Amino acid sequence: MMNEIKSMDNVLSNLSLRFMSLQQYDEIIKFKKFRWIKGYDNSPQLHTLYPSPPSIHDSKSIRVSTADTIFKIALVNSNKITQEVLDTLHSHIFDCSVAFRLALVQSLLCVGNSTSLQPIQQLLTVEKESMAVRNTCEIVLYKVLNSKGFLDAGTFIYVGDIIDGAANGEGKMYYKHNGQLIYEGTFKSNLFYGLGIYYDDNRNVQNKGSFMNGEFVE
């Protein structure tokens, strides 16, 4: 994995590639309807400033891939994510690419701390494009404010009490791709166990009561 990006300096450099903030994006849209999908505009001024829109440029894929790599590094060795790197992540979560914003906010699930609260709260106030980004921001806030642990289970993520490397105690489980809440309550050895609430895909309560070994009892 570490061969993907040779050093953290390269990671930070890749994050900055073709970076455009949400604020800059909004200003451009207000100035003139920029042809983002085709990647050009009839205005010479805009073409000079942004000859290749970062939302469709190949660098978008590089930025997203880099954010995913940070997430993987954070899972294996969170000590590599220094406060300097965190500060960089905080500034770049306001990127105009939804996929990039989501990947970076997901990385903060692993390594976010009290310094993450303000930028995450700010992103929540301006995020209008993606419910997945908003949901994941809420998860980061829940994790940091309540000093909870984090586990990546592939399709799912868990935020809550962790004992012996597993979900044990109070916690919540979410879909990873959109941050939607699936279950909140008590866990034992990574399974629903005890009192809890299970939600359907529309966030409606499907089961509420006692669970045992991952199954609803009553």
Side-chain angles (χ1 to χ4, degrees):
M1 178 189 67
M2 290 305 296
N3 290 331
E4 297 178 41
I5 296 179
K6 294 181 180 179
S7 72
M8 191 56 72
D9 288 340
N10 287 337
V11 170
L12 299 182
S13 176
N14 285 337
L15 286 182
S16 300
L17 187 63
R18 293 283 181 182
F19 173 78
M20 177 186 280
S21 69
L22 279 168
Q23 182 179 356
Q24 290 172 314
Y25 178 83
D26 288 341
E27 289 173 352
I28 292 298
I29 295 300
K30 291 176 183 177
F31 179 72
K32 186 175 176 70
K33 291 183 178 179
F34 199 32
R35 297 181 186 273
W36 292 96
I37 297 177
K38 294 183 178 179
Y40 68 91
D41 188 81
N42 294 326
S43 167
Q45 181 180 357
L46 283 179
H47 186 72
T48 300
L49 290 173
Y50 304 104
S52 184
S55 60
I56 64 167
H57 193 272
D58 288 343
S59 60
K60 172 184 172 183
S61 297
I62 295 175
R63 299 200 315 281
V64 172
S65 175
T66 302
D68 288 338
T69 299
I70 290 175
F71 181 78
K72 293 174 184 176
I73 293 172
L75 283 174
V76 176
N77 189 351
S78 60
N79 291 331
K80 287 187 174 290
I81 311 298
T82 64
Q83 187 59 50
E84 178 186 2
V85 175
L86 258 184
D87 292 340
T88 302
L89 300 187
H90 294 157
S91 64
H92 281 79
I93 60 174
F94 298 93
D95 187 87
C96 64
S97 164
V98 171
F100 187 43
R101 292 200 300 277
L102 179 59
L104 282 183
V105 173
Q106 285 179 336
S107 72
L108 291 177
L109 279 170
C110 297
V111 293
N113 59 28
S114 59
T115 65
S116 307
L117 294 177
Q118 183 175 356
I120 286 293
Q121 288 169 336
Q122 289 176 342
L123 181 57
L124 269 174
T125 65
V126 298
E127 180 60 61
K128 300 178 177 64
E129 194 172 2
S130 170
M131 184 56 69
V133 173
R134 291 187 60 85
N135 287 343
T136 309
C137 283
E138 295 282 5
I139 302 172
V140 175
L141 292 177
Y142 167 71
K143 174 182 179 288
V144 175
L145 288 172
N146 295 281
S147 300
K148 295 296 186 179
F150 169 80
L151 294 174
D152 178 18
T155 305
F156 311 103
I157 55 177
Y158 167 81
V159 176
D161 298 329
I162 298 176
I163 301 175
D164 297 329
N168 283 292
E170 294 288 334
K172 299 181 181 183
M173 182 174 284
Y174 310 83
Y175 287 116
K176 184 176 180 179
H177 72 283
N178 63 6
Q180 183 171 304
L181 181 64
I182 303 170
Y183 172 89
E184 59 181 334
T186 55
F187 290 74
K188 182 178 180 180
S189 300
N190 292 327
L191 297 175
F192 310 152
Y193 202 104
L195 295 178
I197 305 173
Y198 186 86
Y199 299 91
D200 64 19
D201 290 342
N202 296 314
R203 189 65 190 276
N204 297 314
V205 175
Q206 182 169 325
N207 297 117
K208 181 178 181 181
S210 297
F211 292 77
M212 183 176 291
N213 297 323
E215 301 291 336
F216 179 67
V217 179
E218 59 179 355

